[in-house]
Amino acid sequence: MRPFRVVLSAFSLLALTASSAFARNPTELPVDAAYRKAFRETILARHNEYRARHGVPPLKWSDSIAKYAATRAKTRAQQDGLSAGHSGLAPGYGENLYWGGSSGAGSAVPAATDAAERATKSWYDEIKDYDYKNPTFSPKVGHFTQMIWKNTTEVGCAVFSLKGSQWLETYVACEYQPPGNVMGQFAANVPPPKKKG
């Protein structure tokens, strides 16, 4: 199996269509409590490390939000990649989604820390397209701005891996409360990174 790699991610109003080559008769790859714990600890730590760069308060983990995130990750996995986008998202949540895949017939679940690291890095890397001189929403930066959003206080995330006939797919869903990306509030909620030194 080739190394796990990022293929696609989507945010908010942006619904992207993945390749129809994915078989939709996948087999869920089970994970145990230790896997879920490692994923939770890593993804929360990475969120808060990125937020600290911008001087915004750390997020707190919510088990109830994480439970909802698990349903979101599973329903997204029942679609073709992230083609369903954020359809069906309950009111009151912000959402970041991530999809990663590798080719080959391997059956190993990607390491929990790997899934968490790749998802958060792909979201934060959108900072390169954020214009602090014109602070507003753009589909190119929606993951980043939700991660950093100052007024968001809680997060819950889940990972769902499955094996199709030719692909190993991993879905990550993070749900945020209160939601970010509120029009007119970007300047106050997405500060630039603090200068080092």
Side-chain angles (χ1 to χ4, degrees):
M1 181 172 66
R2 293 183 201 157
F4 186 75
R5 63 185 176 88
V6 177
V7 178
L8 179 66
S9 59
F11 182 80
S12 199
L13 302 176
L14 184 64
L16 300 174
T17 304
S19 167
S20 60
F22 285 92
R24 296 324 308 161
N25 57 348
T27 302
E28 179 181 355
L29 299 174
V31 296
D32 59 16
Y35 183 97
R36 286 189 293 275
K37 182 176 185 281
F39 172 80
R40 178 181 70 239
E41 289 174 352
T42 303
I43 205 158
L44 180 62
R46 293 304 163 267
H47 271 83
N48 288 333
E49 287 170 13
Y50 289 130
R51 289 172 68 87
R53 293 181 187 181
H54 297 260
V56 299
L59 296 174
K60 293 181 181 176
W61 185 264
S62 167
D63 287 334
S64 62
I65 295 174
K67 186 175 180 180
Y68 178 62
T71 66
R72 293 292 294 166
K74 188 170 185 176
T75 59
R76 300 307 87 181
Q78 292 167 351
Q79 307 298 319
D80 217 7
L82 292 177
S83 62
H86 300 279
S87 62
L89 181 65
Y93 288 96
E95 178 173 76
N96 277 353
L97 298 174
Y98 167 87
W99 179 94
S102 62
S103 58
S107 59
V109 177
T113 53
D114 190 42
E117 297 272 4
R118 288 178 181 273
T120 52
K121 183 179 185 312
S122 73
W123 299 335
Y124 188 80
D125 283 352
E126 293 175 0
I127 189 174
K128 71 184 184 314
D129 293 316
Y130 189 69
D131 184 359
Y132 285 99
K133 294 177 182 175
N134 182 28
T136 190
F137 178 78
S138 161
K140 290 182 176 181
V141 299
H143 295 99
F144 160 71
T145 52
Q146 174 58 86
M147 280 183 71
I148 302 305
W149 199 262
K150 184 177 181 179
N151 285 345
T152 295
T153 59
E154 292 186 297
V155 67
C157 305
V159 59
F160 188 90
S161 293
L162 49 86
K163 180 180 175 290
S165 60
Q166 298 178 1
W167 297 90
L168 175 66
E169 300 177 69
T170 297
Y171 293 79
V172 174
C174 284
E175 311 300 324
Y176 303 85
Q177 287 187 329
N181 291 333
V182 179
M183 297 308 289
Q185 298 181 18
F186 280 79
N189 282 282
V190 188
K194 297 186 296 183
K195 293 181 179 177
K196 295 180 181 179

